[in-house]
Amino acid sequence: MNVLIAGGGGREHAIGHKVNQSSKLDKLFFMPGNAGTAALGVNLNGNPEKFEDVKQHLLKHDIDMLVVGPEAPLVAGIADFIANDEELKHVMVIGPKKAAARLEGSKDFAKQFMNRHNIPTAAHQTFGSGDYDKAVDFLKTLKPPYVLKADGLAAGKGVLIINGFEKACNELKEMLAGKFGEASGSVVIEEFLTGIELSVFVLTDGKDYVLLPEAKDYKRIKEGDKGLNTGGMGAVSPVAFADSTFMKKVKSRIIEPTLTGLVKDKMPYTGFIFFGLMNVNGDPYVIEYNVRMGDPETEAVLPRLKGDLLELFEGAAKGDLVRCKYSHNSDYAVTVMLVSKGYPEAYEKGKEITGLSEAAKKHLVFHAGTKESNGKVVSNGGRVIAVTGMAGSLDDAISCTYDGVARVEFEGVTYRTDIGRDLR
């Protein structure tokens, strides 16, 4: 089977790393990929959001399966494009069509879906550009901190949690005026939930599903979850507080009603569903849906997978996931993200990265924002390298990971030193 993985980050490198182990794989391609994925397969030029670019490569390289890593092509309708094209409709796509991708593409749509199918989530209301006064009135009914969410995709930066009422009003005004472009043309304001956050993932064919290992990610740039939100500074899997009692609630109250709701709403679904959850006194609430795997959670979750990921993908695409065998090991996986100085604000690219081969001897090293330049690997993004270590205990996994982190160097390298330590 020839497989194309769309995307160029750590998530796609981690997916490719696992797919590359499959006996079903013939050739592996990435679009656009990075310096790390080039060691697993062939990187192709192009933008996954430009569907004609995708079509050209699917036909030229006789691709049997497209695995869509990031959300933007899914929200834009890449799965629909392939299904409706006579030359492409044989290609299996891991990722939902546009209608279902709205679960991530519109936070208001997701909230309405949850309300319709009795899936627990925070109290909320949505306001447009002409509703500022009504939005302020709603803010007055809430207790701080205040949660403001851009309705559309905002590259992981469209959620603000604000303590002061006046500041919340000012930020709301800026969002409705276009702070996040079209994404914040509407803003969802919701009740702040107090609890512990975690991420739960399933792969589904629309009827059946496999439950992947859960993870906890760390979004803030600084230790102690302080500073600006980022795309993710690290992740840990498993999460001790997600015990069997809690996960039974997740299955019965959230996962299964979501899949039932998709069927009732006539939205066929193939691919991953990422449930961003809050554990509130032992009860799960949905903070958000994503229609793909998380990053950097993928770099901690997939290394724990036993068996053939490509076989699972094929089962999902053909609607017979129930026949596929699946299990994961009990080891802890800890992922730490190395980022460019200044991230998530302005940062420089093109910094030479050393120590990668040394780190890879005992650790998993996933490239998130890299490229090859004159025979060297250099930084090419805000998040640059993800290092994952695994061990039988959380403490040992943390030590293993930071041993690997210490071996990778580039000018201005920045990372959090506390990933996983709050879970001990």
Side-chain angles (χ1 to χ4, degrees), residues 109 184 286-290 292 340 366 415 423:
F109 177 85
S184 60
V286 178
I287 301 171
E288 64 177 357
Y289 288 113
N290 289 165
R292 37 72 189 184
S340 299
F366 299 115
Y415 56 89
L423 297 177

Side-chain angles (χ1 to χ4, degrees), residues 216-225 232-237 296 300 333-337 387 394-395 397-399 401-402 405 415-424:
K216 181 181 188 296
D217 79 324
Y218 297 78
K219 293 185 174 66
R220 302 280 185 168
I221 187 68
K222 295 181 180 180
E223 278 78 6
D225 286 326
M233 295 296 291
V236 176
S237 178
V334 175
T335 299
V336 172
M337 188 68 70
V387 177
L394 178 57
D395 281 343
I398 291 171
S399 296
T401 300
Y402 280 104
V405 166
Y415 56 89
R416 279 181 57 166
T417 62
D418 64 342
I419 302 300
R421 300 191 193 281
D422 60 315
L423 297 177
R424 291 187 300 183

Side-chain angles (χ1 to χ4, degrees), residues 130-379:
D131 299 328
Y132 176 75
D133 290 338
K134 292 179 181 178
V136 170
D137 288 340
F138 182 64
L139 279 174
K140 290 177 181 177
T141 70
L142 302 175
K143 296 179 181 179
Y146 304 97
V147 182
L148 310 180
K149 295 182 176 181
D151 178 51
L153 297 180
K157 299 177 183 178
V159 178
L160 303 180
I161 300 174
I162 303 163
N163 285 313
F165 178 76
E166 292 299 328
K167 185 176 181 181
C169 292
N170 291 335
E171 289 286 357
L172 172 64
K173 184 175 290 185
E174 289 185 14
M175 290 176 75
L176 291 173
K179 179 174 182 174
F180 297 107
E182 292 182 7
S184 60
S186 294
V187 174
V188 177
I189 301 175
E190 67 179 48
E191 166 195 22
F192 180 83
L193 295 176
T194 300
I196 307 174
E197 196 171 340
L198 77 154
S199 305
V200 169
F201 311 91
V202 302
L203 177 67
T204 182
D205 59 11
K207 308 182 301 295
D208 299 299
Y209 69 93
V210 294
L211 178 63
L212 300 174
E214 77 285 353
K216 181 181 188 296
D217 79 324
Y218 297 78
K219 293 185 174 66
R220 302 280 185 168
I221 187 68
K222 295 181 180 180
E223 278 78 6
D225 286 326
K226 297 178 181 178
L228 295 173
N229 261 334
T230 72
M233 295 296 291
V236 176
S237 178
V239 181
F241 61 79
D243 57 20
S244 59
T245 300
F246 179 77
M247 291 307 297
K248 284 180 182 177
K249 294 178 182 178
V250 171
K251 291 177 184 178
S252 64
R253 300 180 188 180
I254 292 172
I255 296 174
E256 288 159 11
T258 296
L259 294 177
T260 300
L262 288 168
V263 173
K264 286 183 177 178
D265 290 353
K266 297 181 179 179
M267 294 190 293
Y269 200 107
T270 300
F272 294 107
I273 306 179
F274 167 148
F275 301 86
L277 304 180
M278 188 71 76
N279 179 343
V280 181
N281 297 319
D283 291 320
Y285 288 77
V286 178
I287 301 171
E288 64 177 357
Y289 288 113
N290 289 165
V291 295
R292 37 72 189 184
M293 284 294 285
D295 191 347
E297 294 101 326
T298 306
E299 293 93 307
V301 168
L302 288 191
R304 297 185 59 212
L305 174 67
K306 289 182 178 180
D308 192 325
L309 180 60
L310 190 50
E311 183 178 347
L312 290 177
F313 283 161
E314 185 179 26
K318 292 184 175 181
D320 59 354
L321 188 59
V322 69
R323 69 169 175 80
C324 297
K325 296 179 180 179
Y326 166 75
S327 65
H328 60 266
N329 66 42
S330 59
D331 283 354
Y332 283 84
V334 175
T335 299
V336 172
M337 188 68 70
L338 283 63
V339 306
S340 299
K341 182 180 180 181
Y343 176 79
E345 298 184 300
Y347 57 85
E348 295 182 356
K349 300 180 182 180
K351 305 299 182 182
E352 182 182 356
I353 307 167
T354 61
L356 293 169
S357 58
E358 184 67 22
K361 290 178 180 178
K362 295 182 179 180
H363 313 82
L364 294 169
V365 178
F366 299 115
H367 292 232
T370 67
K371 68 176 183 178
E372 293 184 21
S373 178
N374 299 319
K376 299 177 181 178
V377 177
V378 301
S379 62

Side-chain angles (χ1 to χ4, degrees), residues 108-126:
D108 179 62
F109 177 85
K111 289 289 191 181
Q112 298 304 324
F113 177 89
M114 287 183 260
N115 292 345
R116 192 160 57 248
H117 300 293
N118 299 310
I119 297 165
T121 190
H124 60 91
Q125 286 192 30
T126 302

Side-chain angles (χ1 to χ4, degrees), residues 1-4 25-29 61-65:
M1 191 183 309
N2 292 342
V3 178
L4 172 58
L25 180 69
D26 291 317
K27 294 180 181 179
L28 182 59
F29 300 87
H61 300 287
D62 195 21
I63 300 297
D64 301 293
M65 177 182 291

